[in-house]
Amino acid sequence: MWLLSLAVMVAVATRYWAELSSLGRCALHAALRLCRGKACVRSTHAFVFVNCTHGKAQSVLETFDLYARAHPSLAIGREKGEYVEEVVRRVAPNQALELGTHCGYSSIRILRALPPSGRLLTVEKDLVTADAGEEIILVAGFKNTQFQVLTSPSVEAITHLHSHLGDKLVELVLMDHDVQQYLPDLMLLESRGLLATGCVLLANNVQLSGARSFLDYIRSQPGRYCINNLTQGLLELNWCP
Ligand SMILES: *[C@@H]1O[C@H](CO)[C@@H](O)[C@H](O)[C@H]1NC(C)=O
């Protein structure tokens, strides 16, 4: 009898827990969806534009971080942002590619860590977001000679990337857009021969279930991809074919 009621309690608790955690996941996804929307872009942009010191990248980043303390935000955040900068300084790429500009936070992190000869191409499929991101990157003090925002879906941007690269290849990629796109985009970058040997790839949010096929692909080819690091869902790997 005692055992039976214990079993019932465990069953109820398990069920309840599953529902609770799925509720939590729904709420998180709803918040992210909300933040993906244009309202979030506009309010992030307005907050940063009004409250930062124009021309100072450090102030722009701090104002983003301040915003993220009180609002849902999709910016990569200070901790991962600093890590991205560290990687960019180490790799010192002449050509960096970012997929998912959002409001420009990680673009600014990349740009200020690039060597003087370095350029950034950053891809954003949403027109309003791309405009907001570009304006904030300019506010941070970077010039159109250092970066270009390509407004199109990532597959389309990668298909036409060679026309923006000239004879350069991509030496660093940050993927921070739709995780479902990570695998097709990586395969396209590979098949078009756009990646330099030793290219470093940073992929954000790989803990999301949508990134599973991407991770399986990477793990199935240990001879071509070396995983260097994985912290807080940010994966760093080397492409060494
Ligand atoms: C600027 O920052 C202040 C204080 O943090 C905030 O109340 C205000 O709404 C911000 N401005 C905009 C336009 O978001």
Side-chain angles (χ1 to χ4, degrees), residues 176-205:
D176 188 22
H177 55 324
D178 174 3
V179 290
Q180 310 257 18
Q181 279 304 120
Y182 287 10
L183 182 57
D185 287 352
L186 178 61
M187 293 176 93
L188 196 56
L189 282 164
E190 269 190 47
S191 68
R192 298 239 152 196
L194 297 167
L195 301 178
T197 302
C199 176
V200 171
L201 281 132
L202 292 163
N204 194 27
N205 294 326

Side-chain angles (χ1 to χ4, degrees), residues 147-208:
F147 76 98
Q148 191 178 350
V149 180
L150 306 176
T151 311
S152 68
S154 51
V155 166
E156 217 173 280
I158 293 168
T159 304
H160 298 110
L161 208 59
H162 59 275
S163 64
H164 299 281
L165 290 175
D167 51 8
K168 286 185 183 174
L169 294 176
V170 175
E171 291 160 50
L172 181 127
V173 184
L174 171 60
M175 293 184 164
D176 188 22
H177 55 324
D178 174 3
V179 290
Q180 310 257 18
Q181 279 304 120
Y182 287 10
L183 182 57
D185 287 352
L186 178 61
M187 293 176 93
L188 196 56
L189 282 164
E190 269 190 47
S191 68
R192 298 239 152 196
L194 297 167
L195 301 178
T197 302
C199 176
V200 171
L201 281 132
L202 292 163
N204 194 27
N205 294 326
V206 296
Q207 81 283 6
L208 297 180

Side-chain angles (χ1 to χ4, degrees), residues 43 46-48 50-51 66:
S43 85
F47 187 96
V48 174
V50 168
N51 285 305
L66 192 66

Side-chain angles (χ1 to χ4, degrees), residues 112-163:
R112 71 172 189 168
L114 281 179
S117 59
R119 277 190 90 241
L120 171 69
L121 288 169
T122 177
V123 178
E124 173 56 56
K125 70 172 181 199
D126 179 69
L127 187 67
V128 171
T129 308
D131 280 351
E134 178 163 23
E135 187 168 40
I136 292 297
I137 299 169
L138 291 167
V139 160
F142 297 101
K143 307 264 180 295
N144 283 121
T145 49
Q146 296 165 287
F147 76 98
Q148 191 178 350
V149 180
L150 306 176
T151 311
S152 68
S154 51
V155 166
E156 217 173 280
I158 293 168
T159 304
H160 298 110
L161 208 59
H162 59 275
S163 64

